[in-house]
């Protein structure tokens, strides 16, 4: 029930590379970063043009967390290419925290599970994809 468009692009191996290949601003591409507290996984969502500030994220969540390994991420997202994690945790049973800078975007794009397709949605539709998401400030522009 979500309105979206698919945007094919030349293969790229990073979120920012996908933004460039898709001719969209890095601030408009939402990337997912898988985290773990040792018992469960969470998904942090931030713009491709930003980097994660893990200390700030730990403060926002109120718990110790670390980046999940590539192997752990592949286990959580078995239907996705390595490094092409869609920022839609509810589809995978994950709690989600979205950086406040994502909320400022009227149009958003994200990896469609591969390195050659972006999904385009408006900001309201993206919010519907992550209805229970927590929001906070935990990223900084690269």
């Amino acid at each position: 029930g979500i309105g979206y468009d698919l945007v094919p692009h030349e293969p790229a191996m990073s979120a920012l590379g996908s933004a460039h290949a898709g001719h969209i601003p890095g601030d408009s591409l939402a990337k997912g970063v898988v985290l773990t507290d040792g018992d469960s996984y969470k998904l942090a969502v931030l713009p491709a043009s930003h980097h994660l500030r893990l200390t700030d994220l730990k403060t926002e969540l109120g718990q110790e967390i670390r980046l999940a390994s590539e192997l752990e991420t592949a286990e959580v997202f078995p239907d996705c290419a390595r490094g092409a994690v869609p920022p839609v945790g509810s589809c995978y049973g994950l709690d989600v925290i979205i950086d406040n800078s994502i909320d400022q975007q009227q149009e958003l794009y994200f990896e469609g599970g591969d390195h050659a397709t972006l999904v385009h949605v408006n900001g309201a539709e993206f919010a519907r994809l992550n209805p229970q998401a927590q929001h906070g400030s935990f990223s900084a522009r690269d």
Side-chain angles (χ1 to χ4, degrees):
I2 301 292
Y4 68 93
D5 298 309
L6 296 179
V7 180
H9 62 83
E10 291 295 317
M13 298 309 290
S14 70
L16 198 52
S18 291
H20 291 303
H23 306 288
I24 61 165
D27 287 352
S28 296
L29 192 138
K31 66 180 176 181
V33 177
V34 183
L35 310 159
T36 184
D37 61 8
D39 294 322
S40 63
Y41 296 98
K42 297 183 182 320
L43 188 66
V45 179
L46 60 151
S49 58
H50 288 212
H51 65 271
L52 181 80
R53 295 186 317 224
L54 193 57
T55 302
D56 292 348
L57 185 55
K58 288 177 184 179
T59 300
E60 290 283 349
L61 294 172
Q63 68 183 103
E64 283 298 312
I65 52 158
R66 65 171 172 78
L67 297 176
S69 69
E70 281 192 28
L71 180 59
E72 289 172 313
T73 300
E75 290 173 3
V76 176
F77 291 88
D79 58 338
C80 297
R82 191 169 291 216
V85 171
V88 186
S90 59
C91 295
Y92 294 87
L94 300 176
D95 290 336
V96 177
I97 183 165
I98 298 174
D99 191 78
N100 291 332
S101 58
I102 291 288
D103 296 330
Q104 299 169 11
Q105 301 300 316
Q106 292 184 9
E107 301 291 322
L108 285 164
Y109 298 80
F110 57 89
E111 296 279 8
D114 62 30
H115 294 289
T117 309
L118 294 176
V119 178
H120 169 233
V121 296
N122 67 36
E125 295 286 32
F126 186 77
R128 287 182 56 211
L129 288 170
N130 291 296
Q132 304 298 320
Q134 181 178 343
H135 296 260
S137 182
F138 54 86
S139 77
R141 185 174 298 283
D142 283 338

